[in-house]
Amino acid sequence: QKEVEQDPGPLSVPEGAIVSLNCTYSNSAFQYFMWYRQYSRKGPELLMYTYSSGNKEDGRFTAQVDKSSKYISLFIRDSQPSDSATYLCAMSARETSGSRLTFGEGTQLTVNP
Amino acid sequence: GAGVSQSPSNKVTEKGKDVELRCDPISGHTALYWYRQSLGQGLEFLIYFQGNSAPDKSGLPSDRFSAERTGGSVSTLTIQRTQQEDSAVYLCASRPQGATARTEAFFGQGTRLTVV
């Protein structure tokens, strides 16, 4: 069983829709949660970071962490065609950079004009 | 350079041949990671270098895979006797010294390896 599970999609939505992306994990040691966005033929880029449980909002993006359920979410409001990309959740157990990032498989999102 | 640079961008090799993939991290970044990305697997951790410490090789899938980092900068990932299942995009990432979990890992564009 993978440590991090993420539905690969593909997910296709109309412009303006609310998008919900999710990951579940099995390692209770994970405390640091990130979402990376990867455009086609590019490397992933950090989109959101959250520590422990709770919500974090940044513009049209909201990240949620529920440690009791081992479940994290990324919501995109008023989705735009430029949001079309693969979204990867990532997690680590330690605060220092010595901890590897464990990634989900990534969800491929297409926002149609 | 301004970002993480990987070469070559694409590599096609015959089964059984050895390949070398190069990563040039952001100047001054002490942490360097290699990941492999393939369909259905997401980003799979391979190896991690941090300064002069012994690398974390726990993600290397077999003894055909090895990596080194010379002078704390450039890193080379070597795959010996390539197999078709090695076909994937190999991504390198770096982080600065003192980075914490919230610090972004900067990725290169990857090397797309195809074993035929």
Side-chain angles (χ1 to χ4, degrees):
Chain A
Q1 182 185 3
K2 295 178 184 178
E3 279 190 293
V4 180
E5 297 279 357
Q6 183 177 8
D7 185 343
L11 182 61
S12 182
V13 301
E15 183 174 354
I18 296 175
V19 176
S20 173
L21 304 169
N22 311 292
C23 289
T24 59
Y25 61 96
S26 58
N27 187 347
S28 57
F30 288 142
Q31 296 189 70
Y32 306 92
F33 305 93
M34 292 134 278
W35 287 93
Y36 277 75
R37 179 173 60 193
Q38 184 177 23
Y39 291 111
S40 180
R41 301 273 177 171
K42 301 288 187 182
E45 297 176 324
L46 182 65
L47 184 61
M48 297 279 289
Y49 163 84
T50 309
Y51 167 66
S52 195
S53 286
N55 293 358
K56 183 174 182 179
E57 188 173 319
D58 184 1
R60 296 184 294 109
F61 299 88
T62 300
Q64 286 186 350
V65 175
D66 182 349
K67 289 189 68 180
S68 63
S69 301
K70 297 190 178 66
Y71 187 87
I72 71 170
S73 301
L74 177 71
F75 297 95
I76 307 174
R77 292 183 300 279
D78 187 25
S79 56
Q80 302 295 310
S82 59
D83 296 329
S84 298
T86 296
Y87 291 80
L88 302 115
C89 60
M91 309 177 188
S92 69
R94 289 168 53 190
E95 173 68 13
T96 65
S97 64
S99 179
R100 72 174 73 172
L101 293 175
T102 302
F103 284 85
E105 187 177 339
T107 300
Q108 185 180 342
L109 171 68
T110 301
V111 180
N112 301 298
Chain B
V4 177
S5 178
Q6 291 188 247
S7 59
S9 300
N10 289 281
K11 176 73 176 178
V12 180
T13 190
E14 292 181 351
K15 178 181 174 181
K17 299 283 189 182
D18 297 352
V19 294
E20 283 191 355
L21 313 180
R22 176 187 169 105
C23 172
D24 208 332
I26 294 173
S27 179
H29 280 197
T30 56
L32 187 148
Y33 305 78
W34 282 98
Y35 284 85
R36 177 169 70 176
Q37 187 173 32
S38 52
L39 283 174
Q41 296 298 318
L43 264 71
E44 177 187 3
F45 169 78
L46 297 178
I47 189 169
Y48 160 69
F49 296 90
Q50 173 61 56
N52 295 322
S53 302
D56 176 358
K57 304 180 182 180
S58 59
L60 294 178
S62 76
D63 59 8
R64 295 187 296 105
F65 288 73
S66 63
E68 63 177 21
R69 189 177 185 191
T70 55
S73 181
V74 172
S75 177
T76 303
L77 177 70
T78 301
I79 309 173
Q80 296 179 311
R81 305 181 302 281
T82 51
Q83 303 295 312
Q84 288 186 328
E85 61 262 29
D86 299 334
S87 296
V89 176
Y90 289 81
L91 289 160
C92 175
S94 70
R95 277 168 142 176
Q97 186 172 8
T100 63
R102 68 176 65 233
T103 307
E104 180 171 3
F106 292 89
F107 283 85
Q109 292 194 346
T111 293
R112 184 173 298 272
L113 176 66
T114 304
V115 182
V116 297

